[in-house]
Amino acid sequence: MAVKGQQLYEGKAKKVYATDSPDYYIVEYKDDATAFNGEKRGTIAGKGVINNQMSNRLFALLKDHGVENHFVEQLSERETLVRAVRIVPVEVVVRNLTAGSMAKRLGLEEGLELSRPIVEFYYKQDDLGDPLVTPDHVEVLGWATAAEIAQMQSMALCVNEVLGAYLRARGVLLVDFKLEFGRLKDGTLILADEISPDTCRFWDATTREKLDKDRFRRDLGGVEDAYQEMMRRVSEEES
Ligand code: UDP
């Protein structure tokens, strides 16, 4: 069992700790929620527990489908042992339907089905509000190599296939989501971070009710209930 060492990092929703092994970290999920680049702050009661469990369930599913990721073992309600990586400073977003920043930027209504999934890159830089960048920016500015970019694109599309099918069977539409990748010491690129209602848009497939962080971002109410409902759906056998 890994021993929790010093805190290495505190983000908006998680803390990361060293362990007694340089190859592993412990992540601890918090209830803190932020939106609009930190302008809106709050807490979502029980979110950390749900995001920890949900991410671990989905990372295990992805591993079964050949998507290498950082998940090792859940240690407690809020803590998980993960493989130590250096995070690539780009957020990889996959979209199946228009929503959020894409809908806003292009003047499109939300909920339009895209003819195929779109993969986007955003530079992880809070001071700049995480700007949208092209694969050329990512490569030329040295954030990832051309081979790594191709790998992130194909892994992101694979995640979309696996999660999309899993959620469809549970009455949930996977609208869009954000992934982060990291490098192991030997340079191998694996999926990291989290997969939760904080980082995905989940809509009920029938009613299109939002079951994700948009309820917090947009003051729609029922935030905790939506997170709980998503956890219930993810835990469910196929319906
Ligand atoms: N997303 C995220 N972290 C970010 C930005 C976006 O997890 O810093 C997720 C968001 O939850 C959604 C997808 O990525 O599922 C696409 O988000 P979008 O670009 O529409 O940005 P938003 O307007 O939601 O910030």
Side-chain angles (χ1 to χ4, degrees), residues 91 95 100-101 122 130 176-178 198-201 217:
E91 299 188 339
R95 301 180 184 276
S101 72
Y122 291 84
D130 296 348
D176 59 30
F177 58 94
K178 184 264 302 182
D198 275 12
T199 64
C200 303
R201 285 196 168 90
R217 294 188 188 100

Side-chain angles (χ1 to χ4, degrees), residues 67-199:
V67 181
E68 290 299 326
N69 63 71
H70 74 165
F71 172 60
V72 179
E73 183 192 5
Q74 186 164 315
L75 301 175
S76 73
E77 270 195 328
R78 290 176 185 272
E79 295 167 308
T80 291
L81 186 67
V82 298
R83 297 169 83 184
V85 293
R86 292 275 187 90
I87 293 288
V88 175
V90 297
E91 299 188 339
V92 181
V93 167
V94 179
R95 301 180 184 276
N96 297 300
L97 286 85
T98 57
S101 72
M102 179 187 169
K104 193 167 178 200
R105 192 174 50 252
L106 302 178
L108 299 168
E109 64 178 283
E110 291 198 307
L112 303 175
E113 275 182 45
L114 301 169
S115 59
R116 64 174 175 83
I118 288 177
V119 181
E120 296 173 339
F121 295 95
Y122 291 84
Y123 178 37
K124 261 171 76 76
Q125 186 57 256
D126 279 344
D127 303 348
L128 302 174
D130 296 348
L132 177 68
V133 293
T134 68
D136 268 356
H137 289 112
V138 176
E139 183 187 347
V140 174
L141 296 174
W143 303 324
T145 65
E148 287 175 330
I149 293 166
Q151 202 185 336
M152 289 193 284
Q153 285 167 323
S154 73
M155 284 174 79
L157 290 171
C158 184
V159 170
N160 190 44
E161 290 289 316
V162 174
L163 287 189
Y166 185 84
L167 293 168
R168 207 173 305 123
R170 290 159 181 79
V172 176
L173 204 55
L174 180 59
V175 175
D176 59 30
F177 58 94
K178 184 264 302 182
L179 301 175
E180 296 189 24
F181 293 84
R183 299 182 188 98
L184 298 171
K185 284 210 183 59
D186 69 359
T188 308
L189 197 71
I190 63 170
L191 183 60
D193 195 47
E194 68 177 280
I195 303 176
S196 72
D198 275 12
T199 64

